[in-house]
Every structure is written in C-alpha cells, then in structure tokens.
Amino acid sequence: MLVTLIIACEVGFWVLLTGGLALRYLAKMPKTGAAVLLCEPLLELVLLAATAVDLRGGAEPDWKHGIAALYIGYTVAYGHYTVRWLDGHAAYRLAGGPKPAGAGYGSARAVHEWKLVARTVLAAAVAACLLQAAIWYVGGSGDTGSLRGWQLSALRAAGIHALIAAAYTVWPKRAPAKAGLRDYGA
C-alpha cells in the first residue's frame, strides 16, 4: 500500500507540474496554473500521514518507510527548485521568455554544484529527522534498525554529492571550444 502511495505521489507531482505549466503557458491561465502548482505539497502531507498511520497500525518499520522519508526530504529540498527550473524552461519554449541560464563553467559551475549539495544536505536532514521521528513514534515496540539504516543512506547520499561538487571545484568544467577554432594546447 505504501509503495503504491509513493509511486502515486511521484506520478501526481509530474501530473500537477505538467498541468500547472500547461495552464500557465498553453491555456494562458497563469493564476490557475500557479494554483495547481501550489497543490503539490499536499501530496507530501498525504504521504507523511499515510506513513504515520501505517506505523501506528503496527506495521514493521522497513524500507518502505525509509523510501517515504527520503522522498519527502527530496521534495522539500528540490521540489520548488525543480518547479522553478521547469517553469523557466516552459516560459522560454512556450511563451517566448528569456533563455534560462545554464550552470556555467569553471568556478561558476563549482558554485552551482555546491548550492545543489546544500539542497541535498537539506533533503538528507529532513529525511533523517522524519526517520528519527518514526523511530520515536514506534518506540520500543518494533525493530527500528531499518529506519536507522535509511538515516545512514541519506547521509551517504549527501556525502557522495559533496564529493561530486569537490570534483567540479578541483577539476572545473571547461567551456566548449568555439566552433571552427581548434585548441592546439598552447
């Protein structure tokens, strides 16, 4: 049941996002589109409530509860960012808006990557807090080892993302060579 709800929330996120952007830019109804986009956080509240009810109902804490916490953490940290990013691209493609800026190259790209790491750390912190709340919620009546394992997985994901950002800092991404010009390694 919980896995189905997680999948439904993910599908619902993309349906609301697509519908909201379509209303904003194709149907020329920006306020209605914004209202649809603002409904997205309700999905996470439903998932959070369902997870709590599942645990309170006596379900053994396992990977499903861990995935639910990671999903909620990710959407807290990246949900608005994703909506804003896609909104910029939809405005450019569908409404003649300005071309969205890319992540850039060199130090600008490294800064962008570290900003994303901060979001990943936020996602991991939210997930770890939700998992800790679930551990306290279940109390001594169940085996919470799986939930603790998911806390470590969240921290591991943040650490891996920090290593990727560090790689962009140490080995910055270079801009592509201009068309028609060759770099002979001067």
Side-chain angles (χ1 to χ4, degrees):
M1 169 69 178
L2 199 55
V3 174
T4 304
L5 186 58
I6 294 168
I7 293 168
C9 284
E10 180 65 13
V11 170
F13 172 81
W14 291 105
V15 167
L16 287 173
L17 184 58
T18 304
L21 293 175
L23 286 168
R24 284 180 77 139
Y25 298 110
L26 297 177
K28 308 287 189 222
M29 300 169 67
K31 289 182 181 179
T32 305
V36 169
L37 292 173
L38 288 173
C39 291
E40 196 283 325
L42 296 175
L43 297 172
E44 280 68 46
L45 292 176
V46 168
L47 181 58
L48 182 62
T51 303
V53 167
D54 190 45
L55 288 171
R56 183 48 70 188
E60 191 67 30
D62 61 9
W63 63 272
K64 297 178 291 231
H65 304 98
I67 292 287
L70 290 180
Y71 178 81
I72 293 169
Y74 178 84
T75 56
V76 166
Y78 281 96
H80 181 70
Y81 173 82
T82 302
V83 170
R84 193 176 67 237
W85 185 84
L86 285 171
D87 187 53
H89 284 276
Y92 171 65
R93 299 268 184 207
L94 302 174
K99 184 174 183 176
Y105 301 97
S107 62
R109 177 60 181 253
V111 167
H112 172 75
E113 292 298 327
W114 283 109
K115 286 179 181 178
L116 291 180
V117 168
R119 288 185 181 282
T120 302
V121 168
L122 174 62
V126 168
C129 288
L130 288 173
L131 289 163
Q132 188 60 47
I135 289 167
W136 291 333
Y137 192 62
V138 170
S141 64
D143 178 22
T144 57
S146 172
L147 300 178
R148 294 208 184 278
W150 281 101
Q151 285 178 318
L152 290 174
S153 294
L155 294 174
R156 205 173 305 127
I160 291 168
H161 199 166
L163 289 174
I164 292 168
Y168 275 104
T169 303
V170 174
W171 299 287
K173 184 176 180 180
R174 295 185 183 175
K178 301 271 185 195
L181 299 177
R182 292 199 175 136
D183 181 15
Y184 290 103

